[in-house]
Structures are given as C-alpha cells and as structure tokens.
Amino acid sequence: MYIKEWVNEFIDVAISFDSWMEMDRIYLQNRIETILAVDLNEAVPNHLAKQPDKLTQLLQLLPANLTNEDKGRIESELGDLLTPPPSVVNALFAKTYEVDPKQATDYLYDLSKNNHSVSSHSFSERELFCYPFIKENCLACYQQEGKLTNNFSLAKRFIRMNLANESWMLQYLSFPQLLKEGLVSYEEHQLLPVNQQTVQRLFQLATILPQFTWVYRSQLEEELQHSCYHFARYTYPVLTDTSSKKSQSLLFSDVQVEKLSSDLGISLSSANQKSLEQAAYFILEQWKQQQPTESIQLVLRKQKEVYQLVVTFQSASRLANNQTLGMSDSSMAQEEKTLTETWVEKVMAFL
C-alpha cells in the first residue's frame, strides 16, 4: 500500500462532498504532498492501519515529534481541502432543504464531522466558553469563517438564514456536549433587544428545523455579547419534568400550562403557534419588568403539530450579598428559590 492510495481515498471523499471535481485530482495530490511533507510514491509504514475517517488516516503520516500546534494547523488545512467554499455549501444546503430540512442539516453535520470542524473531543461548558468574548475570537461570529482560531477550524462553514428579515448564521459547535449541537447567531457581533421578535425568531427556527430542540438563554447572550439561539438533537430534562397538573390558560386560547415539578419554571404547550408565542412573550415581558432572577431560558420543541415551550428562571447567589446579609450560601440560595417560586406562581395565576 502506497501513500498515494491513501491520498486518493481522501480525495474521493472531497469529491463526494462536491468540494472538487475529478480533473482536480493531480492538483490535490500535489497540495496534500506539500502539506504532509511526504513522498506519495513511498509505502505506508507497516505499523499504520487504514481508518474509516480518511482525514484521520492521513494524519497518521505526521511525524511523532510534531508540536500540537503544527498538527492542528495541518489537520485544519487538510479539512479545508475536504470542504466546498461557503457559497457552494450554502447552495447545496438550500437545494437539499427544499427536499428535506433534516437531510440538509445532516449534510452540513456529516461535512463538519468529516473535515473535523466538529471535533470528536468534547469540552466542558466552562472550557468551551473560556476564551475572551471579543469580536475577533467570538465563537458565534461568522466573520471567523476561514480563520484558524481557538474556536474555529479553517474548514468551519456557516449557513446563511433569514429570520424576521434579518441575516443570521447557523453552525455546528466545534466542541459539542450534545448530539448535533450548534448555534444560530446574528450576523453582526452585537446584542439585539430582548422583545417580541426574540420569541418570534425562536418559534420560526422550531418551525423550519423541527428536528432540533431550540433554546434561548439570556445568560449565554450576555456572556458572548452576541445575540444567538442554541440547538441540539436532545430532549432536555425540563421538557419532561412537569407536575402532570395541566390547566387551560385564561389569557391565551388553546394553551395548556403546567408548573415544573423540580425546577423553577413553567411548561406551556399548544398546537396554536400564535397563541403560544403570545404567552411566551407575556412571560418574557413580566420577567423583564420585574427581574425576579438573573437569567431566563426558553426551551422549545415541535412534535408533529404541537409546540412545547418550557420557561425556566435561574437565581444566582453572590458571595458579597451573602456576607452583607449575614446569610450562608445555602440559606441565601433557599431564599432566592422561595422568592422565585412565589413569582412563578403569580405569573401562572395571571396566565
């Protein structure tokens, strides 16, 4: 087995993703030979084995004494060769979406896994968001497309989306914790007002891409200083953590309301999208006006024709306040929880 055969297997994958055509094979062979600094006519060392992932297979050819930084750069350069330019990826995504939305997002995910812009290594959330949240290094910014940074591979691709006549960008996270986890972020690095459009966009996303669970988190936006929505193929525990005591909303027709059994929040469900949107906006406005907690989270999924929305509230005990009030961490947290529960009950009474 010669190195050239491994390189040709890699090129076959690149052609299958419409990154290149057969007439580009010689060019790609020469590019890869230069990147890897190998002779394609040499035999593959006996201790190396074929791999189903053809990028991983080529990376075995790198010298063992190469620095991690150099290995990462070479992996990113090879991954970029597997990947069509952004205009082609977006055109293929749009064409596939017309046939099947799930097939379109699967295309982007498979491409991202093959080019290693979605890593098989996972970081904790704290590690994932450990980098400075500046525009030049923001993991939500599509201006990073084509750059090699802490958060991005050269092969990372964004899908352009229109939400409420605004330009937004869809991407899969480089270091996911959940299955097919990603972000949809505003085109510009900025925070948009939290208002009715915040809710409308969330419902639009769940409608056009119902294969995902969608999340709006005020805390995440504040940390990134960038408006965004989070998605994953995952059933969050809060979606099933209901008290099983449903009641009909008095203010919003066709909306059923439940209090979460073990979390500070409310679950709402309806087949009437507009009514549920209005109920969600009502809760969001109540939270904005009264600020009973530090953050709010909206978790939305669509199952067949029924939408389920769970709104949760997070209190944050601060050490300085604890010391000022002469309260322990546990007693402060308990008091915050009691106050939040009382506020949730008041909101449910209005609903």
Side-chain angles (χ1 to χ4, degrees), residues 177-203:
Q177 295 182 359
L178 306 173
L179 178 63
K180 298 184 178 179
E181 181 180 17
L183 290 177
V184 171
S185 52
Y186 187 52
E187 181 179 32
E188 301 296 332
H189 181 83
Q190 69 182 71
L191 280 173
L192 297 176
V194 178
N195 54 25
Q196 192 164 6
Q197 278 194 310
T198 305
V199 176
Q200 289 174 343
R201 291 188 213 101
L202 181 66
F203 275 83

Side-chain angles (χ1 to χ4, degrees), residues 89-111:
V89 172
N90 275 266
L92 291 170
F93 184 95
K95 181 179 179 181
T96 309
Y97 180 87
E98 293 299 319
V99 178
D100 181 0
K102 182 179 179 300
Q103 188 177 336
T105 53
D106 284 349
Y107 156 73
L108 181 64
Y109 184 75
D110 292 341
L111 177 64

Side-chain angles (χ1 to χ4, degrees), residues 46-61:
N46 292 330
H47 67 281
L48 300 183
K50 287 176 70 69
Q51 301 291 327
D53 183 306
K54 299 310 173 185
L55 176 50
T56 299
Q57 181 170 281
L58 286 187
L59 292 175
Q60 294 180 105
L61 298 169

Side-chain angles (χ1 to χ4, degrees), residues 277-294:
E277 276 187 26
Q278 291 169 358
Y281 180 58
F282 172 80
I283 296 173
L284 185 62
E285 280 298 295
Q286 294 298 310
W287 175 79
K288 283 173 57 182
Q289 292 171 18
Q290 301 178 39
Q291 287 288 313
T293 62
E294 188 175 69

Side-chain angles (χ1 to χ4, degrees), residues 228-262:
C228 61
Y229 298 86
H230 177 270
F231 67 88
R233 290 290 299 274
Y234 179 68
T235 301
Y236 291 86
V238 291
L239 291 167
T240 56
D241 181 31
T242 54
S243 62
S244 72
K245 295 179 181 178
K246 292 184 179 180
S247 61
Q248 195 72 29
S249 172
L250 300 177
L251 281 180
F252 306 99
S253 60
D254 306 322
V255 175
Q256 292 189 314
V257 183
E258 299 174 78
K259 184 179 178 182
L260 299 188
S261 59
S262 62

